[in-house]
Short mmCIF file of all heavy atoms in Angstrom, two decimals:
data_model
loop_
_atom_site.label_atom_id
_atom_site.label_comp_id
_atom_site.label_asym_id
_atom_site.label_seq_id
_atom_site.Cartn_x
_atom_site.Cartn_y
_atom_site.Cartn_z
N ALA A 1 4.93 -1.56 7.02
CA ALA A 1 4.61 -2.97 6.79
C ALA A 1 5.57 -3.87 7.57
O ALA A 1 5.15 -4.92 8.09
CB ALA A 1 4.68 -3.27 5.28
N GLU A 2 6.83 -3.49 7.65
CA GLU A 2 7.81 -4.25 8.44
C GLU A 2 7.41 -4.30 9.90
O GLU A 2 7.74 -5.25 10.61
CB GLU A 2 9.19 -3.64 8.28
CG GLU A 2 9.83 -3.90 6.90
CD GLU A 2 10.13 -5.36 6.65
OE1 GLU A 2 10.42 -6.08 7.63
OE2 GLU A 2 10.10 -5.78 5.48
N LYS A 3 6.72 -3.28 10.37
CA LYS A 3 6.26 -3.24 11.77
C LYS A 3 4.96 -4.00 11.97
O LYS A 3 4.41 -4.05 13.08
CB LYS A 3 6.09 -1.79 12.23
CG LYS A 3 7.42 -1.09 12.54
CD LYS A 3 7.17 0.31 13.03
CE LYS A 3 8.42 0.90 13.65
NZ LYS A 3 8.72 0.30 14.98
N GLY A 4 4.41 -4.56 10.89
CA GLY A 4 3.20 -5.38 10.99
C GLY A 4 1.93 -4.68 10.58
O GLY A 4 0.84 -5.28 10.65
N TYR A 5 2.01 -3.42 10.14
CA TYR A 5 0.80 -2.72 9.71
C TYR A 5 0.46 -3.04 8.27
O TYR A 5 1.34 -3.28 7.45
CB TYR A 5 1.00 -1.19 9.82
CG TYR A 5 1.18 -0.70 11.23
CD1 TYR A 5 2.45 -0.53 11.76
CD2 TYR A 5 0.08 -0.38 12.02
CE1 TYR A 5 2.64 -0.06 13.05
CE2 TYR A 5 0.25 0.07 13.32
CZ TYR A 5 1.52 0.24 13.83
OH TYR A 5 1.69 0.69 15.12
N TRP A 6 -0.83 -3.02 7.99
CA TRP A 6 -1.27 -2.98 6.60
C TRP A 6 -1.30 -1.50 6.21
O TRP A 6 -1.48 -0.62 7.04
CB TRP A 6 -2.68 -3.55 6.45
CG TRP A 6 -2.74 -5.05 6.52
CD1 TRP A 6 -2.48 -5.83 7.60
CD2 TRP A 6 -3.13 -5.94 5.47
NE1 TRP A 6 -2.64 -7.15 7.30
CE2 TRP A 6 -3.05 -7.24 5.99
CE3 TRP A 6 -3.50 -5.76 4.15
CZ2 TRP A 6 -3.36 -8.36 5.23
CZ3 TRP A 6 -3.83 -6.87 3.38
CH2 TRP A 6 -3.73 -8.17 3.92
N VAL A 7 -1.13 -1.22 4.92
CA VAL A 7 -1.21 0.14 4.40
C VAL A 7 -2.13 0.14 3.18
O VAL A 7 -1.93 -0.62 2.23
CB VAL A 7 0.17 0.71 4.02
CG1 VAL A 7 0.03 2.13 3.47
CG2 VAL A 7 1.12 0.68 5.21
N PHE A 8 -3.16 1.01 3.22
CA PHE A 8 -4.05 1.18 2.08
C PHE A 8 -3.79 2.53 1.45
O PHE A 8 -3.95 3.57 2.09
CB PHE A 8 -5.51 1.10 2.52
CG PHE A 8 -5.95 -0.25 2.99
CD1 PHE A 8 -5.92 -0.57 4.34
CD2 PHE A 8 -6.38 -1.20 2.09
CE1 PHE A 8 -6.31 -1.84 4.79
CE2 PHE A 8 -6.78 -2.46 2.53
CZ PHE A 8 -6.74 -2.77 3.88
N ARG A 9 -3.33 2.51 0.20
CA ARG A 9 -3.15 3.76 -0.54
C ARG A 9 -4.51 4.20 -1.05
O ARG A 9 -5.13 3.54 -1.89
CB ARG A 9 -2.16 3.55 -1.71
CG ARG A 9 -1.78 4.84 -2.44
CD ARG A 9 -2.77 5.25 -3.54
NE ARG A 9 -2.31 6.37 -4.31
CZ ARG A 9 -1.69 6.29 -5.47
NH1 ARG A 9 -1.47 5.11 -6.00
NH2 ARG A 9 -1.32 7.38 -6.10
N MET A 10 -5.02 5.32 -0.57
CA MET A 10 -6.38 5.75 -0.82
C MET A 10 -6.42 6.64 -2.07
O MET A 10 -5.40 7.14 -2.57
CB MET A 10 -6.92 6.52 0.38
CG MET A 10 -6.83 5.77 1.71
SD MET A 10 -7.76 4.22 1.70
CE MET A 10 -9.44 4.84 1.59
N GLY A 11 -7.66 6.89 -2.54
CA GLY A 11 -7.88 7.79 -3.67
C GLY A 11 -8.95 7.26 -4.61
O GLY A 11 -9.08 6.06 -4.79
N LYS A 12 -9.69 8.18 -5.19
CA LYS A 12 -10.70 7.80 -6.17
C LYS A 12 -10.16 7.91 -7.59
O LYS A 12 -10.60 7.18 -8.49
CB LYS A 12 -11.93 8.69 -6.02
CG LYS A 12 -13.10 8.30 -6.90
CD LYS A 12 -14.38 9.03 -6.51
CE LYS A 12 -15.56 8.54 -7.32
NZ LYS A 12 -16.84 9.13 -6.88
N ALA A 13 -9.23 8.84 -7.80
CA ALA A 13 -8.53 8.97 -9.09
C ALA A 13 -7.11 9.42 -8.77
O ALA A 13 -6.92 10.39 -8.03
CB ALA A 13 -9.24 9.98 -9.99
N VAL A 14 -6.13 8.74 -9.30
CA VAL A 14 -4.71 9.06 -9.03
C VAL A 14 -3.92 8.95 -10.34
O VAL A 14 -4.29 8.21 -11.24
CB VAL A 14 -4.11 8.14 -7.96
CG1 VAL A 14 -4.79 8.35 -6.62
CG2 VAL A 14 -4.20 6.68 -8.39
N HIS A 15 -2.84 9.69 -10.42
CA HIS A 15 -2.04 9.70 -11.63
C HIS A 15 -1.14 8.44 -11.76
O HIS A 15 -0.97 7.91 -12.85
CB HIS A 15 -1.15 10.94 -11.68
CG HIS A 15 -1.87 12.17 -12.09
ND1 HIS A 15 -2.67 12.24 -13.22
CD2 HIS A 15 -1.92 13.42 -11.53
CE1 HIS A 15 -3.18 13.44 -13.33
NE2 HIS A 15 -2.75 14.17 -12.33
N LYS A 16 -0.60 8.00 -10.64
CA LYS A 16 0.40 6.90 -10.68
C LYS A 16 0.03 5.82 -9.68
O LYS A 16 -0.47 6.11 -8.60
CB LYS A 16 1.78 7.45 -10.35
CG LYS A 16 2.33 8.45 -11.35
CD LYS A 16 3.63 9.05 -10.84
CE LYS A 16 4.72 8.03 -10.69
NZ LYS A 16 6.02 8.65 -10.29
N PRO A 17 0.33 4.56 -10.01
CA PRO A 17 0.12 3.48 -9.03
C PRO A 17 1.21 3.50 -7.97
O PRO A 17 2.27 4.09 -8.16
CB PRO A 17 0.23 2.23 -9.90
CG PRO A 17 1.15 2.63 -11.01
CD PRO A 17 0.84 4.07 -11.30
N LEU A 18 0.91 2.88 -6.83
CA LEU A 18 1.92 2.64 -5.80
C LEU A 18 2.42 1.23 -6.04
O LEU A 18 1.72 0.25 -5.81
CB LEU A 18 1.29 2.77 -4.41
CG LEU A 18 2.21 2.38 -3.24
CD1 LEU A 18 3.39 3.33 -3.17
CD2 LEU A 18 1.41 2.42 -1.91
N ILE A 19 3.64 1.13 -6.51
CA ILE A 19 4.18 -0.16 -6.92
C ILE A 19 5.10 -0.74 -5.85
O ILE A 19 6.17 -0.19 -5.56
CB ILE A 19 4.94 -0.03 -8.26
CG1 ILE A 19 4.02 0.48 -9.35
CG2 ILE A 19 5.54 -1.39 -8.66
CD1 ILE A 19 4.72 0.78 -10.66
N THR A 20 4.67 -1.80 -5.21
CA THR A 20 5.50 -2.57 -4.29
C THR A 20 5.06 -4.03 -4.40
O THR A 20 3.93 -4.31 -4.83
CB THR A 20 5.37 -2.13 -2.82
OG1 THR A 20 4.11 -2.58 -2.30
CG2 THR A 20 5.46 -0.61 -2.66
N ASP A 21 5.92 -4.94 -4.02
CA ASP A 21 5.54 -6.35 -4.01
C ASP A 21 5.41 -6.85 -2.58
O ASP A 21 5.45 -8.06 -2.32
CB ASP A 21 6.54 -7.19 -4.79
CG ASP A 21 7.96 -7.06 -4.26
OD1 ASP A 21 8.15 -6.31 -3.27
OD2 ASP A 21 8.87 -7.67 -4.85
N LYS A 22 5.27 -5.91 -1.64
CA LYS A 22 5.24 -6.24 -0.21
C LYS A 22 3.83 -6.64 0.20
O LYS A 22 2.86 -5.91 -0.07
CB LYS A 22 5.74 -5.05 0.60
CG LYS A 22 5.83 -5.32 2.09
CD LYS A 22 6.99 -6.23 2.40
CE LYS A 22 7.16 -6.39 3.93
NZ LYS A 22 8.28 -7.28 4.27
N TYR A 23 3.73 -7.74 0.89
CA TYR A 23 2.47 -8.16 1.49
C TYR A 23 2.02 -7.10 2.49
O TYR A 23 2.84 -6.51 3.18
CB TYR A 23 2.68 -9.50 2.18
CG TYR A 23 1.49 -10.04 2.94
CD1 TYR A 23 0.28 -10.32 2.29
CD2 TYR A 23 1.56 -10.27 4.30
CE1 TYR A 23 -0.80 -10.82 2.97
CE2 TYR A 23 0.49 -10.79 5.00
CZ TYR A 23 -0.70 -11.05 4.33
OH TYR A 23 -1.77 -11.56 5.01
N ARG A 24 0.75 -6.84 2.55
CA ARG A 24 0.13 -5.87 3.43
C ARG A 24 0.01 -4.48 2.85
O ARG A 24 -0.65 -3.61 3.41
CB ARG A 24 0.80 -5.74 4.82
CG ARG A 24 0.82 -7.00 5.68
CD ARG A 24 1.21 -6.64 7.12
NE ARG A 24 1.40 -7.80 7.94
CZ ARG A 24 2.59 -8.38 8.14
NH1 ARG A 24 3.66 -7.85 7.61
NH2 ARG A 24 2.69 -9.44 8.90
N ILE A 25 0.67 -4.20 1.72
CA ILE A 25 0.56 -2.88 1.09
C ILE A 25 -0.41 -3.00 -0.08
O ILE A 25 -0.18 -3.74 -1.03
CB ILE A 25 1.92 -2.36 0.63
CG1 ILE A 25 2.86 -2.23 1.82
CG2 ILE A 25 1.77 -1.02 -0.09
CD1 ILE A 25 4.28 -1.83 1.46
N VAL A 26 -1.52 -2.26 -0.01
CA VAL A 26 -2.62 -2.39 -0.98
C VAL A 26 -2.81 -1.08 -1.73
O VAL A 26 -3.08 -0.05 -1.09
CB VAL A 26 -3.93 -2.80 -0.27
CG1 VAL A 26 -5.03 -2.97 -1.29
CG2 VAL A 26 -3.73 -4.08 0.56
#
């Protein structure tokens, strides 16, 4: 994200959320 990329955490069912408050990380 610091390099300017967006990141999409994929999955249809997952055990834990990806917790960040950074813009571009979904």
Side-chain angles (χ1 to χ4, degrees):
E2 288 293 330
K3 283 181 167 287
Y5 294 95
W6 285 66
V7 180
F8 292 94
R9 186 275 186 97
M10 307 299 293
K12 186 168 184 174
V14 295
H15 282 310
K16 295 173 64 176
L18 174 63
I19 301 174
T20 74
D21 57 1
K22 184 72 175 179
Y23 176 60
R24 298 193 187 94
I25 299 175
V26 181

